[in-house]
Structures are given as C-alpha cells and as structure tokens.
Amino acid sequence: MEASELLERARSRATDPEDPLEVLSAAIALCGEPGGEADALLDLAVRRAREAGASWTAIGERLGYVRRPARRRFTPAFAHRHLVNRRMKREVACSFCRRPPGPRVHMVHGEGGRICDKCVALAGDIVAGLARRR
C-alpha cells in the first residue's frame, strides 16, 4: 500500500481530519499495526503537519519524543549539515585553543594543523622561559 493511501486511511481514522496533528496521531496508531510502511507513512504525515504550520515541539509530543529529536529524526539533511558545519569550523580553527579565524586573528598553517598568533606568542614565551632556566 502506498504511503499516500495510508495517509488517507489515517485521515479517515482521525477524530478531526482537518487537524494535521490528529492525522499524525492516527498515522502513529496505524504504524503500530503489522504490515504497514511505517517510515514512509510517518515521514509523509510529519511533512504534511510541518506544511500546515505545526511546530517540531508539537510533532515531537505526538511521537513521544522530547525536545529536538523529532526534528533530527525527520530531517536527516539538518543533522548532516550541522555536523559538516561543525567539522569545518573545527578544521579551520587554531589546533591549540580552537579560536576561529577572523580579520584580526592571524593563523600559521602547517601540514598537521593551524596555530593562531596568540598561541605562537605564548609558545615563544614558554620557549624563552625554558632557555633562561638553562
């Protein structure tokens, strides 16, 4: 059975077929029944609820999730994009203090990483202090 057909079946079982959250609740109940394409049905029901203006919080409450997992579960591109952005920021930041590059932050790039001007100055002070001790 197609996901759209299952969604129509869920809509017919909903107490208020015009309320997308009620349709989502009915779709969740349908997914509990054996022999359904649960993931496709839930994806479609969530997409329709979002198009109708339902918040991720309301959708998550219907699904039994707490806070943001509903958004992460139903938008895999969001999770992937978030991880890619985080990885890119980490890769261009100073390898020692994680300071991000900027117009006033100068970086020295090497094969294994990057070091900002403040860390270079600190390293210079440390080496100079060690040289004075000898």
Side-chain angles (χ1 to χ4, degrees), residues 39-74:
D39 287 342
L41 173 60
L42 285 180
D43 288 343
L44 187 58
V46 167
R47 193 175 326 125
R48 294 279 168 83
R50 286 293 296 158
E51 288 169 357
S55 69
W56 282 113
T57 304
I59 291 169
E61 287 172 357
R62 296 293 171 121
L63 292 167
Y65 294 154
V66 180
R67 293 171 77 192
R68 291 189 186 170
R71 180 177 180 189
R72 290 187 181 144
R73 156 73 168 86
F74 290 98

Side-chain angles (χ1 to χ4, degrees), residues 22-129:
E22 288 297 322
V23 174
L24 178 61
S25 295
I28 293 167
L30 273 176
C31 289
E33 295 177 5
E37 297 163 342
D39 287 342
L41 173 60
L42 285 180
D43 288 343
L44 187 58
V46 167
R47 193 175 326 125
R48 294 279 168 83
R50 286 293 296 158
E51 288 169 357
S55 69
W56 282 113
T57 304
I59 291 169
E61 287 172 357
R62 296 293 171 121
L63 292 167
Y65 294 154
V66 180
R67 293 171 77 192
R68 291 189 186 170
R71 180 177 180 189
R72 290 187 181 144
R73 156 73 168 86
F74 290 98
T75 54
F78 166 77
H80 176 70
R81 187 172 55 246
H82 178 68
L83 290 175
V84 167
N85 288 342
R86 189 196 240 161
R87 195 174 301 124
M88 281 177 32
K89 286 178 184 175
R90 188 175 57 234
E91 288 173 359
V92 298
C94 176
S95 301
F96 295 90
C97 68
R98 294 290 176 216
R99 205 167 134 205
R104 295 184 182 160
V105 179
H106 301 286
M107 294 277 187
V108 177
H109 301 270
E111 281 185 38
R114 293 158 182 77
I115 186 168
C116 70
D117 52 351
K118 285 188 178 181
C119 289
V120 168
L122 180 62
D125 292 344
I126 292 170
V127 171

